[in-house]
Amino acid sequence: MIYDITALKRKVIAIYPYFGSIAAGVEYLETEDTATIMNNGTDIFYNPRYMSGLSADDQVFVLAHELCHIAFSHASRGAGKDPQIWQMAADAVINQMLKRDGLDIISGGINYPEAIDYDAEQYYEILLKEKLDIELLFGQLEGQENPVAGGGNGQQTPEDENSGNEDGDNDSDEDSENTSEDNDEDDETLLELLPEQEDNSDDDDSDDDERALIEVKESKAGNAVNRDTRIVEEIGSASPLIDWRLILLDTINYGVDWSYTNAVLENGIVRPVLEEIPVPETEIVLDTSWSVDEELLRNFLRECKNILSFSKLKAGCFDTVFYGFHDIRTEKDIEDMPFQGGGGTDFNVAAEAFTLRVDNRIIFTDGQAPMPDKYLKAIWVVYGDETIEPFGGTVIHIRPEQLMRS
């Protein structure tokens, strides 16, 4: 079918008028170097034979698709990400947007209906986790001709179970005994660290030792939990240490409120109208582990009050457990929050606490723990001199001298 790029541009702009300036500034270049159609972040390159082979509707779809990539700055937003997963995520989100607006996804195009609920970064995280899970699975199976013991059908037979010797025993029993002995030795070593207790009864001592041993193991691994609730008095306020207007992302969420932007004049009185307006939403997780003392937590909370001026806010505490979000509407809500914690620090717990659709994710911490395993687009506000390198996001350091000035 004959195609006309100029006519296609007009059709796309008729659907998306706000693409007008973008569509006008893009160069449309015929080339045999691509098999289909693509963009480099500023210009669009297309194969004339490919475009000629598309229906009129598909021509509009693919051009609108590439213009969306440019309009949404996907090339720059994908910096530092897995390029294949990022392309798939961005394509999936765009295709669902176009589908919602009445365009049919081209045959063979990515069609993941759930992508309409996410932006490209959020859907990238979902697809990346799926990829890592698959790679982990294949990594575990690599080199194992038959990962399940037994015959070629993957099922273990009675003959296989007894193949070690006539009695059905095998070398694994001996290995198990050796392993058990090693574990007993390790447990005895750990028990030496416990304070001596009064000898009441053998059974009680055994139970107490077992419980105490678990606690020692957990604390040595950094997994200790402390659900104590702290009282943080006289939080007060302070000048912002960070210009949050420049840091917080624009909203992807909308609320309804009275606005004077399009106010109407009735009987000589200006009346506001009820409109959908952008309402940025921010989720904050506060490190309340044992290394964060009351004064440091107080400094976290003062900065939270400053964020409240620019965004809707939810906040929650974590150590090795996340203790849930609380809606923060006023400064008093911050002062009345329950501050639980006091155990170890697990940043994976913090990373998993955030919801997918939130605009801004912020972690207040002293940074004293290993970084999370997963990619996390978040703002890390680190109080102190600890150097951290999280996978994704932005790190902002608050030095002691800054606190003294505030």
Side-chain angles (χ1 to χ4, degrees), residues 11 50 61 71 101 103-104 139 159 176 208 235 245 254 257-258 283 306 332 358 368 390:
K11 289 181 180 179
Y50 169 75
F61 179 89
D101 295 339
L103 300 182
D104 292 329
E159 291 80 3
S176 176
D208 291 343
I235 295 172
R245 293 170 301 177
Y254 286 80
D257 204 349
W258 295 101
E283 290 177 353
N306 294 323
K332 190 174 187 305
V358 71
Q368 296 184 25

Side-chain angles (χ1 to χ4, degrees), residues 36-174:
T36 56
I37 185 170
M38 60 169 288
N39 74 91
N40 63 357
T42 56
D43 300 314
I44 292 176
F45 304 84
Y46 61 92
N47 187 309
R49 287 180 292 126
Y50 169 75
M51 293 296 289
S52 298
L54 298 178
S55 68
D57 288 343
D58 284 349
Q59 288 175 358
V60 172
F61 179 89
V62 296
L63 188 63
H65 179 101
E66 297 306 321
L67 282 171
C68 281
H69 278 303
I70 295 173
F72 301 150
S73 303
H74 281 161
S76 58
R77 286 164 61 187
K81 297 180 175 64
D82 181 311
Q84 183 179 7
I85 300 299
W86 172 250
Q87 183 68 45
M88 187 180 299
D91 283 348
V93 172
I94 287 175
N95 286 356
Q96 291 307 312
M97 291 172 58
L98 297 177
K99 180 180 178 181
R100 178 193 61 192
D101 295 339
L103 300 182
D104 292 329
I105 297 176
I106 190 170
S107 177
I110 294 176
N111 188 3
Y112 299 156
E114 70 276 9
I116 193 63
D117 295 325
Y118 306 99
D119 63 24
E121 281 82 4
Q122 292 166 340
Y123 203 59
Y124 170 83
E125 293 178 30
I126 293 173
L127 296 182
L128 182 64
K129 182 180 185 303
E130 291 178 357
K131 178 191 176 187
L132 294 176
D133 288 345
I134 292 171
E135 288 178 347
L136 176 61
L137 173 62
F138 280 102
Q140 291 170 338
L141 299 180
E142 186 176 0
Q144 300 183 36
E145 184 175 346
N146 182 12
V148 180
N153 60 0
Q155 296 180 349
Q156 191 172 19
T157 64
E159 291 80 3
D160 294 325
E161 293 178 359
N162 297 328
S163 60
N165 54 41
E166 293 179 358
D167 296 328
D169 297 327
N170 53 46
D171 294 339
S172 64
D173 294 333
E174 183 178 347

Side-chain angles (χ1 to χ4, degrees), residues 68-302:
C68 281
H69 278 303
I70 295 173
F72 301 150
S73 303
H74 281 161
S76 58
R77 286 164 61 187
K81 297 180 175 64
D82 181 311
Q84 183 179 7
I85 300 299
W86 172 250
Q87 183 68 45
M88 187 180 299
D91 283 348
V93 172
I94 287 175
N95 286 356
Q96 291 307 312
M97 291 172 58
L98 297 177
K99 180 180 178 181
R100 178 193 61 192
D101 295 339
L103 300 182
D104 292 329
I105 297 176
I106 190 170
S107 177
I110 294 176
N111 188 3
Y112 299 156
E114 70 276 9
I116 193 63
D117 295 325
Y118 306 99
D119 63 24
E121 281 82 4
Q122 292 166 340
Y123 203 59
Y124 170 83
E125 293 178 30
I126 293 173
L127 296 182
L128 182 64
K129 182 180 185 303
E130 291 178 357
K131 178 191 176 187
L132 294 176
D133 288 345
I134 292 171
E135 288 178 347
L136 176 61
L137 173 62
F138 280 102
Q140 291 170 338
L141 299 180
E142 186 176 0
Q144 300 183 36
E145 184 175 346
N146 182 12
V148 180
N153 60 0
Q155 296 180 349
Q156 191 172 19
T157 64
E159 291 80 3
D160 294 325
E161 293 178 359
N162 297 328
S163 60
N165 54 41
E166 293 179 358
D167 296 328
D169 297 327
N170 53 46
D171 294 339
S172 64
D173 294 333
E174 183 178 347
D175 293 340
S176 176
E177 290 176 4
N178 292 337
T179 302
S180 177
E181 290 175 3
D182 292 342
N183 288 339
D184 290 343
E185 291 176 5
D186 291 341
D187 289 352
E188 289 174 5
T189 302
L190 286 173
L191 284 170
E192 291 175 2
L193 301 174
L194 302 175
E196 294 183 1
Q197 299 180 0
E198 185 179 351
D199 186 8
N200 294 323
S201 69
D202 291 342
D203 291 341
D204 290 343
D205 285 349
S206 176
D207 291 342
D208 291 343
D209 284 350
E210 185 175 350
R211 284 194 296 269
L213 178 60
I214 292 172
E215 292 176 1
V216 171
K217 285 181 175 179
E218 287 181 341
S219 63
K220 286 172 71 66
N223 293 328
V225 177
N226 187 343
R227 295 180 181 272
D228 290 346
T229 298
R230 307 192 201 184
I231 303 298
V232 182
E233 298 178 343
E234 298 180 0
I235 295 172
S237 59
S239 300
L241 298 171
I242 300 165
D243 190 344
W244 292 107
R245 293 170 301 177
L246 303 178
I247 299 296
L248 297 178
L249 296 176
D250 293 335
T251 184
I252 55 174
N253 303 291
Y254 286 80
V256 177
D257 204 349
W258 295 101
S259 169
Y260 282 91
T261 304
N262 297 308
V264 295
L265 186 65
E266 292 182 358
N267 300 323
I269 300 174
V270 177
R271 299 188 183 279
V273 293
L274 199 59
E275 291 184 348
E276 271 199 332
I277 59 173
V279 182
E281 294 187 2
T282 300
E283 290 177 353
I284 296 175
V285 292
L286 303 163
D287 183 349
T288 51
S289 61
W290 67 270
S291 61
V292 175
D293 60 23
E294 185 176 326
E295 183 57 32
L296 185 52
L297 181 55
R298 190 177 286 115
N299 280 297
F300 290 173
L301 298 172
R302 288 171 181 165

Side-chain angles (χ1 to χ4, degrees), residues 287 347 364-371 380-383 386-388:
D287 183 349
F347 284 130
F364 281 87
T365 180
D366 60 1
Q368 296 184 25
M371 290 295 98
W380 295 74
V381 184
V382 182
Y383 284 66
E386 196 75 25
T387 300
I388 67 170

